[in-house]
Structure formats: C-alpha cells, structure tokens
Amino acid sequence: MTDTDLFGPYDIDGLVLANRIVMAPLTRNRAGAGLVPSPFAAEYYSQRASAGLIITEATQVSRQAQGYQDTPGLYTPEQIAAWRKVTDAVHAKGGRIFVQLWHVGRVSHVDLHDGEAPVAPSAIRAETKTFVNNGFADVSEPRALEAEEIPGIVEDFRKAAANAIAAGFDGVEVHGANGYLLDQFLRETANVRTDAYGGSIENRARLLIEVTAAVAKEIGAERAGVRLSPVSPAGGSVLSGNEQAQYGYVVEKLDGLGIAYIHVVEGATGGPRDAAPFDYDALRQRFRNTYIANNGYELDLAKSRLSEGKADLFAFGHHFIANPDLVDRFKSGVPLAQLNPATLYGGGAQGYTDYPAAIVSADA
C-alpha cells in the first residue's frame, strides 16, 4: 500500500466510502426539547461530510438509556424526523453516516430519571462523573437489572436500529465501549451477576452479542458495527487483567455474526495509547471484515498503520471538531486548527458550526 491509499475509496460491505478517514462519535450536549438533535446538527455534520464515514454522537435507544444532559435519542417520531434532516444534509454533500446507539447503564444520575436509580449489571457505583444540571456531578448509585428486564434492553436497541434506517442513516454502530452498559456487562469489576449474564467470559459477553445479533437481523449485518474499548478506564471502568481473553472471545463472536466492522479504542479513551498492555493485532486477526482504529491517531501514524495492514479505517475525534475540512487539511498539509475546550459541551452554534474551513489553494 502507499500513503495515498488513505485518501482513496474504500468498500465497506458494499457501501463505498470516499476515503479511509472516519469522524469518530463526539458527544456535544446540544439536543433540544424532547432530546431531538440540535437545530444546528444538520449543518454541523454536513460541514464534515468529506469524511469517508461519519459516526454520530452517541444516541439513546430509550429514555432509560440517557446518562448526560441534552444528548439526543432515537426512540420517538420527533427524534426520527430531526435526524432525517441530518442524514439528508450529509447525503446531499455525498457523505456517509452511521448513528452510534448507546445505553449508558450506571453512568447516569437520578436527576435525569425522575429520582429513579440508573440501571447496571450489578449495583456497583462507577467512580466517574456525568454532565447534568449544566455541570459535572458524581454518577448515582445504580440498581441491578432484573433478568426479566434484559430482553427489553435488546428490544430497545433493535427498535432504535429500525428507527435509524427510517431516519435515513446508512447504518448503526452499537456502543459497546467506554464504560457504558454493554461494556459494563463485559467487565468482572462491574458485573458480579451469577445468572446467564455474569460469571464466565461467555456469559459476560452475552448481552453485547444478543444486542448486536438483533440489530444485524433488523437492518442487515452489513450495516452494523460495534465499538469496543478493551483497556480504557473511561466511564469508571476498572481493569481485571483478563481483557485479552474477554475481548478475543467477543470479537470471534462478532465475526461470526458477519457485521461490517469493529471500531476499537486503542488505549485509554482520549488518553495514552499504551495505557495498559493489549494486543490489538490479535483482535484484527480474529475479525475478517473492517477494522477501524481509534485513539491518539495523527496523519503519519494512520499512514504507517495502513501501510502495515494493521487497520482499514482510522477514526479521528477532536480534530474533526475544529477542522470540518479535516480530510482536505490532511491532503494539503494545511495546519490544523485547535478546538476551544470551553465550547465542547452545551450551547449553540458557537464552537459547533462556526469553525471555518481552511482556504486551500488549487496547487496545494
């Protein structure tokens, strides 16, 4: 492979992407009343439509799934209609867009649930914070899901996937990473259940596999992906040392479902890539379809990993916030703009749609 392959087209199970650069999911806390996407969302995402693939901000599959203030959902007619404006705007510019579907589990606060406790695999509070009441606060003590509630979680993901297609999305990404509900079930330190969803590696993976299978059956495996973060401490995740075996099993099962891709956070989300020992190449070898690499990537590292065959696509997060034309900047060598941390979460157009594209000369 050559360096230019990063900017050439890529076929992801019949969906042709313009390049191998992916916009990673980025929570921005700008949803409006009824948790519909921001009125600025169509402009925000369409500004970034030159990415080979856009993966939206994490989006709730149900009211119970919410963990942060002003994050959008995909379970009401109003939310579907609002997301349709986003997908239409992205498609009008030739872009491709998947929605990331999540349930936060224990990473939530009672104030978001009328005083009710968040749900989790086990009643173990996460040592982390959430964004609520216009500030950051410790998450609340969760309650353990009853066994008879778990099929309802699977059904919520299935319905949300169907809603995604109704809203015009090209596919969905199941959020199985960063310490949220599906990731919580995977972790021995968060899941001490003794039923079919806890104990063994196979049991802890059961919910993620059931959710993914339901989504794949609903919309087609070729339009479904899963995000994983084997060693990230995000969301209060505590490592057990058994991650290589756990995630190796998970990826083998996902491969068997024939889904389009796995999207792997390599290292600590938003932090060091070498946060804990882990062999990502082993996951790559167990999965026959597309491998999206994420976390700490710069252009040179992506080119190097592509040339070595270590990944197929590369997801960039924060760079896309301040650089709506990130692909063009990478191609031309125009310096990257820096984001304003003060406008990351909440607010309106400022720090959202007002980052300008660079003026790239014709011979750049």
Side-chain angles (χ1 to χ4, degrees):
M1 295 182 180
T2 64
D3 288 348
T4 56
D5 287 324
L6 191 67
F7 302 108
Y10 180 81
D11 188 319
I12 181 168
D13 267 18
L15 185 70
V16 178
L17 312 182
N19 53 67
R20 296 172 182 260
I21 296 170
V22 176
M23 178 179 170
L26 296 158
T27 293
R28 304 301 305 276
N29 303 91
R30 282 169 164 82
L35 300 182
V36 302
S38 162
F40 302 105
E43 181 180 4
Y44 169 73
Y45 283 112
S46 64
Q47 286 174 340
R48 292 153 177 82
S50 60
L53 176 65
I54 292 172
I55 305 173
T56 72
E57 63 208 276
T59 300
Q60 286 102 232
V61 299
S62 67
R63 188 170 181 271
Q64 182 196 68
Q66 185 181 7
Y68 300 81
Q69 174 186 325
D70 301 331
T71 50
L74 192 49
Y75 54 89
T76 71
E78 294 78 14
Q79 292 163 353
I80 295 170
W83 277 118
R84 169 61 80 168
K85 295 177 181 178
V86 173
T87 61
D88 284 350
V90 170
H91 290 149
K93 289 192 175 182
R96 303 292 194 179
I97 183 168
F98 277 37
V99 63
Q100 188 187 64
L101 299 179
W102 71 343
H103 189 309
V104 301
R106 66 181 184 169
V107 184
S108 191
H109 194 279
V110 294
D111 286 357
L112 294 169
H113 299 286
D114 301 322
E116 296 292 325
V119 299
S122 302
I124 301 171
R125 191 177 71 83
E127 293 297 328
T128 192
K129 294 181 181 294
T130 188
F131 185 72
V132 63
N133 302 323
N134 298 311
F136 285 92
D138 290 339
V139 299
S140 300
E141 186 83 20
R143 68 170 180 84
L145 281 162
E146 300 291 339
E148 57 268 25
E149 294 179 279
I150 291 178
I153 301 290
V154 177
E155 178 66 5
D156 287 339
F157 274 92
R158 185 200 65 77
K159 287 180 180 177
N163 291 343
I165 300 306
F169 283 102
D170 296 299
V172 308
E173 177 175 284
V174 172
H175 200 343
N178 294 350
Y180 299 119
L181 183 67
L182 302 181
D183 191 37
Q184 291 159 27
F185 269 86
L186 292 175
R187 300 194 182 274
E188 296 172 79
T189 53
N191 179 357
V192 295
R193 301 176 73 94
T194 57
D195 61 8
Y197 292 90
S200 66
I201 284 175
E202 295 79 8
N203 283 357
R204 291 197 306 275
R206 191 179 306 278
L207 181 57
L208 173 60
I209 302 307
E210 287 181 349
V211 163
T212 307
V215 167
K217 183 178 180 181
E218 180 66 33
I219 66 171
E222 74 280 3
R223 292 293 172 263
V226 173
R227 198 179 204 207
L228 303 169
S229 58
V231 297
S232 178
S237 293
V238 178
L239 305 186
S240 67
N242 200 33
E243 286 75 27
Q244 196 76 53
Q246 179 71 70
Y247 284 85
Y249 174 81
V250 165
V251 168
E252 284 183 357
K253 297 296 286 186
L254 293 176
D255 182 72
L257 294 175
I259 61 171
Y261 70 77
I262 54 172
H263 179 186
V264 181
V265 180
E266 298 173 347
T269 306
R273 290 176 52 78
D274 58 354
F278 195 87
D279 183 0
Y280 299 100
D281 291 342
L283 298 188
R284 164 79 159 152
Q285 291 161 11
R286 283 179 166 86
F287 191 75
R288 289 169 289 181
N289 287 343
T290 297
Y291 180 103
I292 304 178
N294 172 250
N295 196 44
Y297 274 87
E298 300 292 344
L299 181 58
D300 288 345
L301 180 58
K303 287 181 175 180
S304 173
R305 296 286 286 179
L306 178 60
S307 69
E308 296 168 357
K310 301 296 188 183
D312 301 299
L313 304 177
F314 300 87
F316 298 86
H318 281 183
H319 283 333
F320 261 113
I321 293 176
N323 299 274
D325 57 340
L326 182 65
V327 175
D328 289 337
R329 289 183 189 241
F330 277 163
K331 282 182 181 179
S332 64
V334 170
L336 301 185
Q338 299 302 306
L339 63 83
N340 178 4
T343 58
L344 276 176
Y345 305 112
Q350 184 182 5
Y352 192 56
T353 57
D354 61 351
Y355 286 107
I359 299 174
V360 181
S361 65
D363 59 351

